Amino acid sequence: MNDHSPHPGPRAHSRAARYATALAGAATALLLTVAAPGLARADEEESMESAVLVEQTIALIANDAGDARVAERIDDALAAPDKQGVNLTLARQALGLIERPGDSAAATRQARVLLLDSLGGKLPSAPRAGQYATGTDTGTSTVLDEFKPARGISDGGDAVLLGLAVAAAGGGLWLARRLRPPHTLRELEHRGSRKEER
């Protein structure tokens, strides 16, 4: 007597595929939940080096992070255990400028200059002569200001581009009207129905 095991039908394969997909999705979600917080909180693990914290402060100023965050990062730099490479007097002067009442862009710019001077004019992440940037090195010694493009028409180039765009749109509309077929779809459908009735 032969014992034939029944072959699973298409429904069983479909159910198994759905189960495997759900399991893979759950595993991915779990992995992202565990791994992502470490990436998201990378900036919360503060450096123990004052020089690195001062460089971060310069970046915060460049990106308009606000006086409160800038002052907090300078405080962290002054309290860091490794103060090598930072002129703490200049850093304190920068902190005084930031904490001065009133919102002054000039004071913030001056604080940024003082912080850079406190590092001897060179950022810790700046590339060393003859070496390539590796790991977390930025490969640059410059912290650029936040890029804020002008809105609207700010110069002659913007006006030319706007004029070309309007001309292209107008030309397209003119060509669409000039080259359109002589009959509309409704007229063609109406003619077709008349022929069918005959």
Side-chain angles (χ1 to χ4, degrees):
M1 182 175 176
N2 290 339
D3 185 19
H4 296 290
S5 59
H7 293 288
R11 284 187 180 176
H13 285 298
S14 157
R15 195 176 307 136
R18 282 195 304 257
Y19 178 73
T21 303
L23 188 62
T28 302
L30 181 64
L31 181 64
L32 289 174
T33 304
V34 171
L39 296 173
R41 289 195 293 262
D43 61 333
E44 293 180 12
E45 296 178 8
E46 293 176 359
S47 173
M48 296 292 155
E49 300 176 31
S50 293
V52 172
L53 292 166
V54 168
E55 181 177 0
Q56 291 174 0
T57 307
I58 294 170
L60 288 173
I61 292 173
N63 289 288
D64 293 330
D67 289 347
R69 288 185 67 193
V70 170
E72 180 184 352
R73 193 54 55 95
I74 295 175
D75 280 332
D76 294 339
L78 293 172
D82 183 1
K83 296 178 173 62
Q84 185 178 357
V86 178
N87 184 329
L88 297 179
T89 304
L90 293 176
R92 284 191 192 94
Q93 289 176 12
L95 180 60
L97 287 171
I98 295 295
E99 290 180 336
R100 186 182 297 168
D103 185 20
S104 171
T108 305
R109 282 194 302 272
Q110 189 178 353
R112 179 177 171 177
V113 170
L114 283 171
L115 289 170
L116 188 57
D117 288 345
S118 75
L119 295 172
K122 190 171 183 182
L123 300 178
S125 63
R128 292 172 183 82
Q131 292 184 354
Y132 295 108
T134 58
T136 58
D137 295 343
T138 61
T140 181
S141 59
T142 305
V143 177
L144 299 175
D145 290 330
E146 184 181 11
F147 178 63
K148 293 181 181 177
R151 295 188 177 203
I153 300 173
S154 60
D155 58 12
D158 290 345
V160 169
L161 285 176
L162 179 62
L164 289 173
V166 169
L173 290 172
W174 179 79
L175 286 172
R177 182 161 179 82
R178 178 147 173 85
L179 301 176
R180 69 180 178 175
H183 305 290
T184 64
L185 286 174
R186 183 174 290 178
E187 290 174 348
L188 293 173
E189 288 173 356
H190 191 62
R191 285 184 184 179
S193 62
R194 280 183 183 174
K195 287 180 181 176
E196 287 176 5
E197 287 174 3
R198 290 179 187 169

